[in-house]
């Protein structure tokens, strides 16, 4: 028998993705399976997920869910054969675009009911209401799955260990308290030592409060979230649960983000043969209708365009940068808050032939951006891990990033003056003001002018190891820690195998 882990989440590549969480879920499941752990992803059956998942078959009808009956389909992810359970409900069927907000950026009115329903479906699987073998451990991720540990406690399903991972504390899933009854949450659980959070019902708090163990995705963020500045109001509770809080960093899917074998880029390249990068640069300029200048330093911005990602600060800083470096080009790829999106569109109008902005979500353009740019500007007011700068580093694109959260743990700072220390792989800056950002970008341009220093940084960036080996083993150890005594030995990891060698999550 293999250890069974049910990874509950709202998004997973390639089925649905709005941010780094989706990348992390699929690569974690793959990494666990390669080590002999039977990891299955359970998530909403959004239309896009149903379209792409393979081998779908009915795994059960769940009559007793808050949003009415739901169907559970089991299948596999395309490409990697990671087993997936998709919960189909009318609410999820309506989510044809972004799963959380409508076209105007307004949160869907039924988010609480939809994700509450997902949690109830997980509890039904755990309680044996379907023919599926219940998991030994449930790994719930972010607020979307926050009710799972609380409901398992409520239903007294105590033999299944629960790990709750915080990928971003800012997204909390807070709703009016009066939705509790419809979600099957009794008044006794609605006090301040339960799910109540500033007069609302918080899914995130439910996860933090009731999971056996909590984790977050970098050491620095784990320390930061215990402070009022980064705690988003949860620091008190997190301090109470500090002994159960683990830091397990994310990994990078090194197959997908691999300059030597990336089918989405114009020409492959590697640290020992960088010729392809020049071709990628030319292609990037063509893709964004910028002049094909091989000597123009290209600064990229590629992320959600939000306050968290310092879009406001970038828009205050970048005109100065563009005036100071007349040959530089700026390429923006992203979407998010409409006002900030318009700000970047205006910047492109103000600097024709030098700035291009694609407002939208586009995986192919993201690969082209990382491969063809010279630098990536990644400001963040807080950053749980920060996958995007690590992707850029894989392609020798040097990150200029805020010294917060996971960034501190992953980018070796070249510092703002003097020769870059050995091993430097990026430039970090402090503060949330335009001057600090401009100074850091100027430092990057200065280093770019010195090919010896720049190439050394590129080599460091490209060879940094952020594979899933270490985090997968740490997750396995965490699962073992919370699993019932009788099944703990199942969580001993096997040496990594290239292919899945365990049967998919099926009946017992
Ligand atoms: P976060 O999860 O806070 O958004 P991360 O940097 O950890 O930040 O992960 C973001 C992920 O989303 C990365 O895979 C990044 O490449 C991707 N991404 C963000 N915006 C876009 C976009 N507009 N088009 C394509 N990929 C994007």
């Amino acid at each position: 028998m293999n250890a069974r882990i049910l990874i509950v989440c709202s998004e997973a590549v390639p089925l649905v993705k709005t941010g780094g969480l989706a990348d992390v879920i699929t690569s974690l499941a793959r990494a666990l399976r390669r080590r002999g752990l039977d990891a299955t992803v359970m998530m909403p059956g959004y239309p896009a997920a149903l379209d792409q998942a393979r081998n779908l078959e009915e795994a059960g009808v769940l009559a007793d869910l808050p949003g009415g009956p739901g169907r559970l389909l089991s299948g596999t992810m395309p490409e990697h054969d990671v087993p997936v359970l998709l919960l189909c409900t009318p609410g999820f069927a309506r989510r044809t675009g972004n799963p959380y907000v409508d076209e105007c950026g307004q949160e869907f009115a039924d988010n609480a009911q939809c994700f509450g329903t997902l949690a109830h479906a997980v509890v039904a699987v755990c309680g044996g209401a379907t023919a599926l073998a219940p998991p030994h451990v449930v790994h719930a991720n972010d607020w979307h799955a926050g009710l799972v540990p609380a409901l398992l406690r409520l239903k007294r399903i105590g033999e299944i260990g629960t790990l709750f991972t915080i990928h971003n504390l800012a997204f909390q899933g807070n709703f009016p308290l009066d939705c509790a009854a419809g979600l099957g949450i009794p008044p006794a659980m609605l006090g301040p030592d339960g799910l109540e959070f500033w007069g609302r019902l918080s899914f995130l708090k439910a996860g933090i409060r009731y999971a056996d163990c909590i984790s977050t995705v970098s050491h620095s963020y784990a320390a930061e979230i215990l402070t009022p500045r980064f705690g988003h109001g949860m620091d008190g509770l997190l301090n109470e649960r500090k002994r159960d809080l683990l830091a397990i960093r994310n990994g990078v899917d090194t197959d997908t983000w691999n300059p030597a074998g990336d089918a989405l880029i114009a020409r492959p390249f590697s640290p020992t043969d960088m010729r392809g990068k020049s071709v990628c640069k030319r292609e990037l300029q063509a893709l964004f209708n910028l002049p094909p200048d091989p000597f123009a330093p290209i600064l990229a911005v590629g992320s959600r365009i939000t306050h968290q990602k310092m879009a406001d600060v970038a828009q205050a800083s970048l005109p100065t940068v563009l005036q100071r470096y007349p040959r530089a080009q700026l390429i923006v790829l992203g979407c998010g808050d409409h006002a900030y999106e318009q700000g970047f569109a205006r910047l492109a109008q103000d600097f024709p032939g030098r700035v291009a902005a694609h407002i939208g979500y586009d995986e192919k353009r993201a690969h082209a951006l990382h491969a063809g740019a010279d630098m990536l500007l990644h400001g963040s007011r807080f950053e749980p891990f920060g996958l995007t700068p690590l992707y850029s580093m894989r392609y020798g694109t040097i990150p200029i990033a805020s010294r917060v959260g996971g960034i501190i743990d992953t980018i070796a700072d070249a510092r703002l003056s003097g020769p870059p220390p050995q091993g430097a792989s990026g430039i970090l800056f402090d503060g949330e003001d335009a001057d600090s950002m401009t100074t850091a970008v100027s430092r990057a341009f200065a280093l770019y002018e010195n090919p010896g220093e720049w190439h050394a940084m590129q080599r460091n960036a490209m060879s940094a190891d952020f594979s899933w080996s270490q985090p997968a083993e740490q997750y396995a150890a965490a699962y073992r820690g919370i699993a019932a005594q009788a099944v703990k030995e199942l969580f001993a990891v096997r040496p990594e195998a290239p292919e899945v060698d365990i049967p998919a999550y099926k009946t017992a």
Side-chain angles (χ1 to χ4, degrees), residues 17-21 23-24 167-168 171 250 257 302-305 308-309 333-335 358-367 370 378 382-389 391:
K17 169 172 170 178
T18 69
L21 170 67
D23 291 351
V24 169
H167 296 264
N168 193 334
F171 300 116
N250 285 336
W257 301 97
S303 64
R304 291 184 288 114
I305 300 180
Q308 178 195 339
K309 302 291 181 185
L333 168 67
C335 48
H358 179 89
I359 303 302
Y361 195 92
D362 189 324
E363 203 71 26
K364 184 169 186 316
R365 277 191 168 81
H367 283 251
H370 291 306
H378 192 85
F382 56 93
E383 193 61 82
F385 183 67
L387 280 169
T388 306
Y391 295 158

Side-chain angles (χ1 to χ4, degrees), residues 7 15 25 73 91 151 166 198 264 293 318 335 382 396 440 475 480:
I7 302 178
L15 303 183
I25 294 296
L73 300 182
L151 292 175
I166 302 165
W198 297 102
L264 298 177
D293 180 353
L318 287 167
C335 48
F382 56 93
Y475 274 114
R480 186 186 165 98

Side-chain angles (χ1 to χ4, degrees), residues 366-417:
H367 283 251
L369 190 77
H370 291 306
D374 296 297
M375 307 150 199
L376 176 93
L377 177 59
H378 192 85
S380 311
R381 288 189 160 87
F382 56 93
E383 193 61 82
F385 183 67
L387 280 169
T388 306
L390 294 192
Y391 295 158
S392 80
M393 282 163 58
R394 300 267 304 154
Y395 295 80
T397 297
I398 299 301
I400 306 159
S402 302
R403 196 190 317 274
V404 287
I407 302 284
I408 300 170
D409 306 353
T410 53
I411 300 177
D413 185 15
R415 306 209 189 110
L416 292 177
S417 59

Side-chain angles (χ1 to χ4, degrees), residues 61-396:
V61 175
L62 302 168
D64 227 2
L65 301 177
R71 282 173 70 218
L72 197 60
L73 300 182
S74 86
T76 54
M77 299 265 192
E79 295 159 31
H80 303 313
D81 284 347
V82 170
V84 62
L85 294 174
L86 298 177
L87 176 67
C88 302
T89 66
F92 288 135
R94 280 193 291 273
R95 282 160 166 76
T96 50
N98 184 297
Y100 321 116
V101 296
D102 63 20
E103 297 86 51
C104 304
Q106 288 298 315
E107 283 191 12
F108 289 120
D110 63 352
N111 274 348
Q113 192 191 58
C114 280
F115 291 101
T117 300
L118 176 67
H120 275 273
V122 171
V123 172
V125 171
C126 292
T130 66
L132 298 164
H136 301 112
V137 162
V138 174
H139 182 174
N141 292 275
D142 272 354
W143 74 262
H144 321 101
L147 286 191
V148 174
L151 292 175
L152 285 171
R153 189 74 68 90
L154 183 69
K155 309 258 168 174
R156 299 185 194 286
I157 302 179
E159 68 282 9
I160 297 176
T162 52
L163 170 66
F164 181 66
T165 298
I166 302 165
H167 296 264
N168 193 334
L169 197 64
F171 300 116
Q172 303 191 333
N174 298 332
F175 302 100
L177 268 181
D178 59 16
C179 68
L183 297 175
I185 297 165
M189 279 179 104
L190 293 179
D193 57 352
L195 275 56
E196 187 269 346
F197 182 67
W198 297 102
R200 291 165 72 79
L201 184 162
S202 173
F203 279 40
L204 185 83
K205 186 175 173 186
I208 298 174
R209 172 79 180 75
Y210 290 103
D212 295 328
C213 186
I214 308 151
S215 73
T216 190
V217 293
S218 67
H219 283 90
S220 292
Y221 191 62
E224 286 173 352
I225 59 177
L226 298 175
T227 67
R229 178 175 166 203
F230 292 100
H232 292 275
M234 297 285 177
D235 41 299
L237 174 60
L238 284 164
N239 273 289
E240 275 174 35
R241 298 227 52 198
K242 203 165 132 185
R243 283 160 48 120
D244 302 314
L245 176 65
L246 300 173
I248 303 179
R249 72 155 173 86
N250 285 336
V252 168
D253 179 341
T254 49
D255 295 337
T256 304
W257 301 97
N258 173 16
D262 187 339
L264 298 177
I265 66 173
R267 179 82 62 87
F269 60 95
S270 66
T272 51
D273 181 0
M274 293 289 280
R275 284 171 301 178
K277 187 156 175 83
S278 315
V279 179
C280 292
K281 182 166 183 171
R282 200 166 60 228
E283 288 295 314
L284 178 66
Q285 287 165 325
L287 188 65
F288 281 83
N289 293 315
L290 290 176
D293 180 353
F295 301 107
I298 300 184
L299 179 64
V301 172
S303 64
R304 291 184 288 114
I305 300 180
T306 60
H307 190 253
Q308 178 195 339
K309 302 291 181 185
M310 280 196 199
D312 52 334
V313 181
Q315 286 168 16
S317 151
L318 287 167
T320 312
V321 169
L322 289 159
Q323 275 150 12
R324 198 178 283 177
Y325 302 96
R327 200 159 189 175
Q329 297 179 345
L330 169 70
I331 300 183
V332 179
L333 168 67
C335 48
D337 295 351
H338 292 330
Y340 295 140
E341 289 177 349
Q342 284 163 8
F344 279 123
R346 267 197 307 277
L347 200 61
Q349 281 165 9
D350 293 347
F351 291 89
R354 298 195 51 211
V355 178
H358 179 89
I359 303 302
Y361 195 92
D362 189 324
E363 203 71 26
K364 184 169 186 316
R365 277 191 168 81
H367 283 251
L369 190 77
H370 291 306
D374 296 297
M375 307 150 199
L376 176 93
L377 177 59
H378 192 85
S380 311
R381 288 189 160 87
F382 56 93
E383 193 61 82
F385 183 67
L387 280 169
T388 306
L390 294 192
Y391 295 158
S392 80
M393 282 163 58
R394 300 267 304 154
Y395 295 80

